[in-house]
């Protein structure tokens, strides 16, 4: 009798604690989003998208930083994603259970969770040092290196969802493996690969540490890939730590912009995945 | 041809890892050959006299990560239990997505939130209490000495804990979901309470995966840069008090790299990067090996 009572009490207490833990997690997500909205919306105005980052003590916008972030993200994804998709294709279609594929999978997983600041130092060593100066192209390369493991992983996972029957049917019609991959597997896994790209963009667009040593920052409008270029994360980093209220306000608005972009991308990617999964099961 | 192209891209992944190792070692060589092993054991960090030792950043990295894990592990265990065992079906998806969104928030956002919102709250409401009530205690009191700065080791640890929380929670949830329902049902059939099912059936069965998830979170905490840089105070000092400002490997690099003048200074910062790479490489490898074994187990039992 007494024993069953202790068991019940332990049970209720443990379950209450687990509900509490979930509450704590959700509370912090709420707290962060609320602060971002409150402080970020205060600075939302058309100027944000039409004016350059200002000198200390005067008003301005984030146009050059938004532009720079977009340019470097696009180049980074354009370089990294095709390589990642190809490597993922190898792992899913050719590598199989070979030793090489196992090693590549393992190394890719390690790179996926490696600290991004290390990638920044790496690109600094191989691009910035030989060139002699910081540049947008170095920043884009750092982002590409970060995007590769993400796309390798999602591509492999998504290609494996394509039913074997479809591949067999294509082979039975006399198609070479490359033809099967290009004309059957890729179209069938299209939305899955697209999800991988969205996740890679989401991952890359918030990266700050690697850009600090590669693209640095630029207070002015620059389209020169061979020169330092402004970008949202580094602008947020520098402006938030400054003593000027105008700069801090811009940092909050930039933070809100980045977070909204990334959360939208992640939610969108999730919708694509859940739309994909029922169809792949049938 | 096409196969060759995919193979080349796949091998490029290996080349990347090799390239990172070689490039970092090359950059760190001047500092490592100049200071030798003293680099690891000295606390001094003086750009003027060009004397650099990594003790304070190493200490800060380990301490902040350990405290973060101590806070985050129980919380994420609770969240994953809630999601797999307790949560009504209609709530599962929204809460699961919310946890994953917390994981998607970029680290710089945690950084500015930590600096402008979290640190002042700690400074005003939590740290004075810690100093008054735990400070006078013998032993433990050493951890809570000095004025409440707001920023410092403790604040950085807590921000890190919030950051790694969703990563550990979602791995644990995935691991718990691989457990065959038959196992749970047979335990319930014997009259076990929900907690007993979790503690005596679910957890032992999924131990490897849970530890793997924890190690993955640890790897993140060790290498996390922006969130820590804002709230740690960047002081190259080893102090016993958790309320004092300190530094971590990644925060030192982020804070000082672009301002570093002189080859030895830059090289010392890259040497810090090599240390970080080594530590995280080991931790992440262990994590991935443990999670990999789990994948295989899940596959063979399916």
């Amino acid at each position: 009798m007494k024993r069953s009572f202790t068991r019940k009490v332990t049970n209720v207490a443990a379950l209450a604690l687990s509900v509490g833990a979930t509450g704590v997690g959700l509370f912090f997500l709420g707290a962060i989003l609320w602060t971002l909205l409150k402080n970020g919306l205060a600075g939302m105005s058309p100027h944000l998208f039409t004016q350059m980052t200002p000198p200390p003590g005067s008003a301005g916008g984030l146009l050059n930083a938004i532009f720079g972030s977009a340019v470097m993200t696009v180049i980074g994804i354009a370089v990294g994603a095709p390589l990642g998709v190809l490597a993922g294709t190898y792992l899913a279609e050719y590598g199989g259970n070979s030793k090489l594929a196992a090693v590549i999978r393992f190394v890719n997983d390690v790179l996926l969770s490696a600290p991004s600041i290390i990638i920044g130092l790496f690109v600094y060593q191989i691009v910035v040092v030989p060139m002699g100066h910081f540049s947008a192209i170095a920043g884009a390369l750092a982002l590409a290196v970060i995007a590769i493991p993400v796309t390798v992983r999602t591509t492999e996972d998504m290609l494996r969802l394509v039913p074997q029957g479809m591949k067999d049917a294509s082979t039975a019609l006399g198609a070479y493996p490359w033809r099967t991959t290009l004309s059957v597997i890729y179209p069938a896994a299209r939305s899955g690969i697209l999800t991988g790209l969205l996740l890679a963009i989401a991952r890359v667009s918030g990266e700050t540490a690697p850009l600090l040593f590669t693209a640095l920052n630029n207070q002015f409008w620059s389209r020169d890939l061979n020169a330092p270029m402004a970008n949202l994360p580094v602008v947020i980093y520098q402006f938030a730590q400054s003593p000027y209220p105008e700069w801090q306000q811009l940092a909050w608005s930039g933070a809100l912009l980045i977070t909204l972009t990334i959360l939208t991308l992640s939610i969108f990617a999730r919708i694509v995945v859940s739309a994909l999964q029922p169809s792949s099961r049938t | 041809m096409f196969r060759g192209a995919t193979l080349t891209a796949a091998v490029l992944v290996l080349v990347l890892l090799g390239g990172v190792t070689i490039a970092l070692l090359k950059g760190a060589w001047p500092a490592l050959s100049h200071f030798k092993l003293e680099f690891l054991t000295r606390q001094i960090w003086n750009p003027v006299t060009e004397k650099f030792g990594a003790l304070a950043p190493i200490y800060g990295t380990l301490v902040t990560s350990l405290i973060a894990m101590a806070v985050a592990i129980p919380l994420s265990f609770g969240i994953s239990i809630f999601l797999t065992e307790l949560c009504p079906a209609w709530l599962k998806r929204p809460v699961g997505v919310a946890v994953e969104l917390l994981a998607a928030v970029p680290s710089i956002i945690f950084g500015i939130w930590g600096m402008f919102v979290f640190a002042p709250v700690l400074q005003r409401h939590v740290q004075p209490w810690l100093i008054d009530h735990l400070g006078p205690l013998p032993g433990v009191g050493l951890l809570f000495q000095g004025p409440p700065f707001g920023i410092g080791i403790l604040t950085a640890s807590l921000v890190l804990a919030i950051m790694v929380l969703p990563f550990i929670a979602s791995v644990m949830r995935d691991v718990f979901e691989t457990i065959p329902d038959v196992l749970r049902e047979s335990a319930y059939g014997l009259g076990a309470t929900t907690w007993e099912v979790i503690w005596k059936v679910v957890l032992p069965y999924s131990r490897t995966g849970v530890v793997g998830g924890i190690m993955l979170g640890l790897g993140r905490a060790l290498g996390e840069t922006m969130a820590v840089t804002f709230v740690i105070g960047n002081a190259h000092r080893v102090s016993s008090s958790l309320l004092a400002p300190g530094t971590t490997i990644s925060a030192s690099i982020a804070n000082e790299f672009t301002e570093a003048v002189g080859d030895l200074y830059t090289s010392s910062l890259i040497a810090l990067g090599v240390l970080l790479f080594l530590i995280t490489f080991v931790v992440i490898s262990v994590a991935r090996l443990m999670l990999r074994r789990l994948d295989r187990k899940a596959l063979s039992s399916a």
Side-chain angles (χ1 to χ4, degrees), chain A:
Chain A
M1 187 61 195
K2 190 162 177 261
R3 180 138 182 235
S4 81
F5 179 71
T6 358
R7 285 176 59 204
K8 264 182 205 143
V9 170
T10 320
N11 187 41
V12 170
L15 299 184
L17 282 178
S18 110
V19 174
T22 312
V24 170
L26 295 181
F27 168 79
F28 280 113
L29 177 65
I32 289 170
L33 290 184
W34 190 75
T35 324
L36 266 180
L37 281 175
K38 192 185 73 167
N39 293 328
L41 282 180
M44 279 295 160
S45 74
H47 297 308
L48 215 54
F49 306 96
T50 55
Q51 294 184 0
M52 306 299 155
T53 47
S58 53
L62 292 168
L63 178 62
N64 50 343
I66 296 171
F67 173 78
S69 272
V71 166
M72 282 186 274
T73 306
V74 167
I75 299 179
I77 295 292
V79 173
L83 289 170
V85 169
L86 280 177
T89 308
Y90 175 80
L91 292 178
E93 301 300 324
Y94 302 108
N97 293 323
S98 70
K99 203 154 223 172
L100 177 68
V103 172
I104 292 175
R105 247 175 238 130
F106 178 75
V107 167
N108 189 66
D109 281 351
V110 169
L111 284 177
L112 188 64
S113 347
S116 57
I117 193 166
I118 301 287
I119 307 296
L121 286 179
F122 165 62
V123 174
Y124 172 85
Q125 279 289 308
I126 62 161
V127 182
V128 177
V129 170
M131 281 172 74
H133 56 84
F134 298 101
S135 65
I137 201 74
L141 277 178
L143 296 185
V145 174
I146 290 165
I148 288 176
V150 186
T151 35
V152 171
R153 183 71 191 264
T154 47
T155 306
E156 187 191 356
D157 290 349
M158 291 304 165
L159 294 190
R160 281 180 184 280
L161 285 178
V162 178
Q164 186 63 33
M166 282 176 79
K167 301 176 194 171
D168 292 345
S170 169
T171 314
L173 288 172
Y176 285 109
W178 66 266
R179 174 53 82 186
T180 305
T181 305
L182 288 183
S183 308
V184 177
I185 300 177
Y186 278 169
R190 195 173 41 207
S191 41
I193 297 175
L194 181 71
T195 311
L197 288 189
L198 291 178
L199 290 178
I201 297 173
R203 168 83 201 266
V204 154
S205 46
E207 283 297 346
T208 313
L211 292 179
L212 218 46
F213 322 136
T214 50
L216 200 61
N217 196 357
N218 190 335
Q219 219 190 315
F220 306 102
W221 175 257
S222 164
R223 284 189 303 186
D224 187 359
L225 291 181
N226 198 21
M229 195 184 264
N231 56 87
L232 276 175
V234 176
V235 166
I236 296 172
Y237 173 66
Q238 292 182 347
F239 281 18
Q241 292 189 323
S242 78
Y244 315 108
E246 291 89 352
W247 276 18
Q248 289 182 359
Q249 180 56 55
L250 281 173
W252 278 112
S253 304
L256 180 63
L257 277 184
I258 283 198
T259 313
L260 286 183
T261 312
I262 291 174
L263 293 189
T264 313
L265 283 171
S266 322
I267 292 174
F268 190 62
R270 229 160 284 277
I271 294 172
V272 176
V273 167
S274 58
L276 173 85
Q277 252 151 7
S279 67
S280 69
R281 253 185 234 142
T282 49

